[in-house]
């Protein structure tokens, strides 16, 4: 088993050495800033004259999400992190982001005129923490040429600096086709997630990137890309992936079913999930990508990389929103418990 594999290499000493060796890597995150808002309500019941449920507002929480949350997961592990992103100049929430950011993270951004910073507002039943519905505030039309050129100039500078480029492509218009080309041409090591969500379903597939060094997607994202509803994930990885993207390492996350690691040298390996208790699944895939990418860069066996990602996901699904991030102490304790 993977646990025995790690024990044979030295157990926690091996793990701590691996964690220590990512400390000084230069990491560039690219993607949209998303403000995640939770509006907590109590349920009053059905309206007497309409077919709707009435709720009473209690309180709200606002979190810096998207690429910002992804970068924060790695800030306890790595000392050199940059984020390239966009804000809107309407309802920008700059203060929300800057007041929660770790001083190890350097944010570079452009402001997009006449559009808001993307905000996803979720209404949550406060009694049982059940999300009821969601409202998007965004303008995902393509960037203006001037905005795109400004962002590409910044991108070019950061790409020459970074050891690892982690792209969180949420499909809301921040990353243009020309930027994708720049990233694929110049990234030293590209770790990629291209997300399918309600705002982009069917329009944001990972194969818009021609290559990556490490791909991390979930099960619906690979199914949509290959237009295959029923084949097993193993078959999709072995038979279809290479026709869509030039990528030698890929992991497909599959919630409570764990994850599937695909390396061109090995057959697909299944790594079990580490928790069945899920408080909030938001951002779990991003935490997986953030934590696993540096270990993929170091060329650790992919089943170990997937295990580290699963641990990050297991920690994240028990955090509400982005109240806190995956941290090194919790991560190492989790591994220590597994190895006992």
């Amino acid at each position: 088993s993977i646990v025995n594999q790690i024990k044979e290499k030295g157990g926690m000493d091996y793990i701590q050495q691996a964690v220590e060796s990512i400390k000084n890597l230069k990491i560039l995150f690219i993607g949209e800033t998303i403000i995640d808002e939770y509006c907590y309500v109590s349920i009053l019941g059905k309206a007497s004259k309409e077919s709707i449920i009435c709720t009473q507002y209690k309180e709200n929480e606002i979190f810096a999400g998207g690429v910002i949350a992804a970068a924060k997961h790695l800030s306890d592990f790595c000392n050199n992190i940059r984020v390239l992103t966009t804000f809107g100049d309407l309802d920008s929430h700059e203060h929300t982001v800057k007041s929660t950011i770790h001083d190890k993270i350097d944010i570079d951004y452009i402001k997009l005129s006449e559009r808001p910073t993307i905000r996803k507002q979720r209404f949550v039943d406060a009694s049982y923490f059940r999300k009821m519905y969601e409202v998007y505030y965004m303008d995902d039309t393509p960037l203006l040429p001037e905005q795109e050129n400004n962002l590409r100039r910044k991108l070019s500078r950061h790409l020459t600096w970074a050891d690892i480029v982690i792209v969180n492509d949420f499909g809301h218009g921040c990353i243009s086709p020309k930027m994708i080309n720049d990233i694929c041409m110049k990234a030293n090591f590209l770790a990629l997630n291209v997300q399918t969500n309600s705002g982009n379903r069917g329009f944001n597939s990972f194969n818009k990137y021609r290559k990556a060094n490490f791909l991390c997607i979930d099960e619906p994202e690979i199914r949509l890309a290959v237009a295959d509803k029923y084949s097993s994930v193993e078959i999709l990885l072995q038979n279809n992936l290479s026709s869509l993207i030039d990528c030698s390492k890929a992991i497909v996350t599959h919630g409570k079913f764990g994850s599937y690691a695909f390396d061109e040298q090995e057959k697909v390996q299944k790594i079990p999930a580490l928790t069945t208790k899920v408080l909030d699944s938001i951002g779990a895939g991003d935490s997986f990508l953030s934590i696993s990418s540096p270990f993929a860069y170091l060329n650790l066996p992919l089943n170990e990389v997937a295990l580290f990602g699963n641990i990050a996901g297991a920690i994240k699904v028990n955090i509400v929103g982005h109240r806190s991030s995956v941290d090194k102490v919790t991560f190492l304790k989790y591994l220590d418990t597994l190895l006992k």
Side-chain angles (χ1 to χ4, degrees), residues 38-44 55-61 123-127:
Y38 285 21
C39 292
Y40 299 103
V41 297
S42 58
I43 310 294
L44 299 175
T55 63
Q56 183 174 347
Y57 174 83
K58 294 293 185 187
E59 59 181 337
N60 78 328
E61 275 188 283
F123 288 82
V124 184
D125 174 0
S127 307

Side-chain angles (χ1 to χ4, degrees), residues 205 220-231 236 240 244:
S205 173
E221 285 157 1
I222 193 167
R223 290 200 183 284
L224 280 166
V226 303
D228 186 328
K229 194 174 178 181
Y230 297 113
S231 296
L236 297 181
N240 299 90
L244 294 169

Side-chain angles (χ1 to χ4, degrees), residues 21 31 50-52 66 75 86 113 174-175 207 222 233:
S21 61
E50 304 278 357
S51 296
I52 55 172
S75 64
T86 57
S113 58
C174 166
I175 304 175
N207 61 338
I222 193 167
V233 173

Side-chain angles (χ1 to χ4, degrees), residues 32 115-116 118 136-143 171-174 199-200:
E32 288 101 343
R115 55 172 105 188
I118 300 157
Y136 279 38
Y137 298 83
M138 70 175 182
D139 175 352
D140 61 355
T141 53
L143 301 178
H172 298 321
C174 166
N200 68 33

Side-chain angles (χ1 to χ4, degrees), residues 183-283:
I183 292 164
C184 289
M185 291 259 298
K186 297 176 190 169
N188 177 52
F189 181 95
L190 173 57
L192 178 65
N193 171 258
V194 185
Q195 190 187 87
T196 288
N197 55 48
S198 314
N200 68 33
R201 185 171 291 272
F203 295 98
N204 200 50
S205 173
F206 63 82
N207 61 338
K208 66 184 188 178
Y209 293 76
R210 66 176 183 275
K211 64 176 184 179
N213 300 92
F214 176 53
L215 177 69
C216 188
I217 50 175
D218 67 15
E219 184 245 0
E221 285 157 1
I222 193 167
R223 290 200 183 284
L224 280 166
V226 303
D228 186 328
K229 194 174 178 181
Y230 297 113
S231 296
S232 70
V233 173
E234 289 98 325
I235 285 170
L236 297 181
L237 278 167
Q238 278 169 337
N239 297 356
N240 299 90
L241 188 71
S242 61
S243 64
L244 294 169
I245 188 170
D246 175 8
C247 182
S248 58
K249 296 178 182 178
I251 295 176
V252 174
T253 59
H254 197 184
K256 66 180 180 182
F257 301 106
S259 57
Y260 301 85
F262 172 71
D263 188 325
E264 280 181 340
Q265 320 306 321
E266 311 264 348
K267 62 180 191 297
V268 176
Q269 300 178 76
K270 190 167 189 284
I271 294 87
L274 299 171
T275 183
T276 51
K277 181 172 159 259
V278 176
L279 177 61
D280 187 3
S281 62
I282 185 176

Side-chain angles (χ1 to χ4, degrees), residues 5-21:
Q5 177 184 315
I6 291 170
K7 281 180 177 174
E8 282 167 18
K9 291 179 174 180
M12 281 309 291
D13 288 341
Y14 167 70
I15 298 292
Q16 280 170 320
Q17 197 176 344
V19 168
E20 185 66 19
S21 61

